[in-house]
Amino acid sequence: MATGGDLKRAIGLMSGTSMDGIDLAMLDTDGDAVVDRGASSFTAFDADFRKRLTAALETAKAITEREERPGELAEIEIELTDRHAEAVEAFMARESLNRDDIDVIGFHGQTMLHRPRQALTVQLGLGARLAERLGIDVVYDLRARDMTMGGQGAPLVPAYHRALAAGLSGEWAELRPVVFVNIGGISNITYIGSDDVLLAFDSGPGNALIDQWVTRHAGVPYDSGGAIASEGRVLSSLANQYLSSPFFTAKQRISLDRNDFLPPEDGQAELEDGARTLAFVTAAAIAKAQAHLPEKLKLWILTGGGRHNRMIVEDLTVATRHSGQVIVAEQAGLNGDSMEAEAWAWLAVRSLRGLPLTYPGTTGVSEPATGGVLARGYGCKNA
């Protein structure tokens, strides 16, 4: 277990909007400035379970109260929780850890519905079941309190981004303002200003549209490295359909649900042109975020799966060539694959300490807000 001061050893679990599997990361941290990143892992969902999750998104549209689990959702929630438990057990066996070595687990679950205008967010995942199975305390449901206080419940990672920015070294240490760009299913940015001002918001579509497009037309779960997109061309009329959305010009930044932007209709593009155009849209949407920031940027740090799509990175580099350098997380000594899982570990410790998880500048919450629900691990050392 972590030793010294208020340090705790935490495991973070993230299943994102791409629904491809479970990211896991371990930290020793005080939930504030100290972040000692440890091992990480990824457990992929099999094709059948991923298909069931995708179908469940349609079922979830009928939910009007957070506790509702229509159709197959209750069964999927149990299976999803158990898959997370198995991922933790496999990781701990690999790293020769036992339950007394871990103080807390931060559990995101799988977002099925996110409607900030209705203060409604639904993440599948049974925190108490996970805690009992593993015998380790679990902090879960980290978005809900923010929404009851007028926030949009997302993004939650920005406070962790600021902690990472404070620890940057070498040539990146003094570059401010800096933006972290998480290109997941939906893209979001975290802005840390020269005066340490923290702002964050969703910038638009990320990988979700590309994933859905290539799954439907090529039978593959994602465009590996942007290989499919690299064979296509940008269809301006199709790109403009997305980029002319009122979302990009609205003064108030809103948190997106993956259904707010949908993939092209069949017949609108060939496989390669569709993938290329959607990669361009992702980059252009991120670049448009500059219009909502108070200072000209000096550094863009790309995280999430989308940083592996070379067409997205190339398009963003061109679009931001007059406003800072674009690098991937690894160039700054960070891990762009495990960063969200790391954040959930960090947020869990922060929740235990009653520290703010969200701020007016990140989610629109009325005042800095903590959050999360603690489930005690059956018979665990902290019970």
Side-chain angles (χ1 to χ4, degrees):
M1 131 186 11
T3 59
D6 293 324
L7 288 183
K8 292 185 181 294
R9 177 161 291 169
I11 286 176
L13 299 170
M14 167 60 67
S15 177
T17 51
S18 58
M19 299 191 299
D20 55 351
I22 301 163
D23 286 304
L24 182 155
M26 186 169 66
L27 296 179
D28 289 343
T29 182
D30 62 356
D32 190 14
V34 177
V35 178
D36 185 6
R37 295 182 293 118
S40 61
S41 68
F42 175 72
T43 303
F45 291 145
D46 58 80
D48 179 67
F49 187 65
R50 190 173 181 182
K51 185 181 298 183
R52 288 170 60 204
L53 279 177
T54 302
L57 291 171
E58 288 299 313
T59 304
K61 290 179 181 179
I63 294 176
T64 57
E65 300 290 337
R66 295 191 68 231
E67 296 76 18
E68 294 175 4
R69 297 294 184 266
E72 196 186 3
L73 287 184
E75 179 182 339
I76 289 177
E77 185 166 39
I78 292 172
E79 183 174 348
L80 179 84
T81 303
D82 290 345
R83 284 173 179 261
H84 277 75
E86 291 163 6
V88 173
E89 288 166 346
F91 173 82
M92 292 177 67
R94 189 191 81 188
E95 298 296 324
S96 300
L97 299 166
N98 60 56
R99 69 184 190 184
D100 289 334
D101 294 319
I102 307 299
D103 293 294
V104 67
I105 292 173
F107 181 30
H108 178 272
Q110 182 67 57
T111 297
M112 287 284 109
L113 190 72
H114 189 70
R115 295 176 177 166
R117 295 180 185 88
Q118 301 170 26
L120 177 62
T121 188
V122 178
Q123 284 76 41
L124 294 187
L126 301 168
R129 182 183 180 93
L130 185 65
E132 182 172 354
R133 172 161 171 174
L134 295 174
I136 302 171
D137 286 356
V138 172
V139 173
Y140 66 104
D141 202 15
L142 287 158
R143 300 186 188 276
R145 190 164 187 266
D146 175 88
M147 298 185 85
T148 65
M149 296 175 63
Q152 298 189 47
L156 260 68
V157 181
Y160 181 62
H161 285 155
R162 183 162 63 180
L164 290 180
L168 291 177
S169 59
E171 62 184 301
W172 318 116
E174 303 300 324
L175 290 181
R176 297 289 187 279
V178 57
V179 159
F180 284 78
V181 184
N182 174 44
I183 313 175
I186 293 166
S187 295
N188 53 70
I189 72 162
T190 298
Y191 165 92
I192 301 111
S194 56
D195 52 1
D196 211 35
V197 164
L198 184 66
L199 300 174
F201 49 85
D202 286 352
S203 60
N207 299 317
L209 295 183
I210 302 170
D211 292 350
Q212 292 172 66
W213 177 256
V214 299
T215 297
R216 192 167 75 206
H217 292 280
V220 294
Y222 58 93
D223 183 8
S224 180
I228 297 173
S230 69
E231 298 295 323
R233 61 190 178 91
V234 176
L235 303 178
S236 298
S237 60
L238 180 58
N240 289 337
Q241 287 181 31
Y242 289 101
L243 298 174
S244 62
S245 167
F247 167 80
F248 297 109
T249 55
K251 289 185 178 180
Q252 182 184 9
R253 300 289 79 205
I254 64 169
S255 179
L256 292 168
D257 181 85
R258 62 179 283 142
N259 294 309
D260 288 334
F261 287 93
L262 299 174
E265 298 290 336
D266 291 342
Q268 281 191 281
E270 298 296 326
L271 168 64
E272 295 83 358
D273 293 344
R276 180 70 186 89
T277 302
L278 293 173
F280 174 82
V281 167
T282 296
I286 294 167
K288 281 178 175 288
Q290 297 172 96
H292 302 278
L293 301 176
E295 294 181 87
K296 185 177 179 180
L297 298 174
K298 292 186 178 179
L299 182 64
W300 303 71
I301 300 177
L302 307 187
T303 76
R307 80 191 190 288
H308 296 303
N309 186 315
R310 66 179 183 274
M311 305 314 298
I312 294 176
V313 176
E314 287 178 11
D315 286 342
L316 183 59
T317 301
V318 170
T320 61
R321 60 190 179 278
H322 300 303
S323 58
Q325 186 173 355
V326 175
I327 65 171
V328 296
E330 287 70 18
Q331 290 175 261
L334 305 173
N335 187 327
D337 287 322
S338 66
M339 193 176 293
E340 282 197 288
E342 291 171 17
W344 242 252
W346 187 82
L347 289 167
V349 175
R350 202 164 173 84
S351 175
L352 292 178
R353 293 186 59 191
L355 297 172
L357 311 183
T358 58
Y359 298 84
T362 63
T363 66
V365 68
S366 58
E367 59 185 72
T370 189
V373 177
L374 173 63
R376 292 289 194 182
Y378 177 74
C380 76
K381 64 183 183 302
N382 295 324

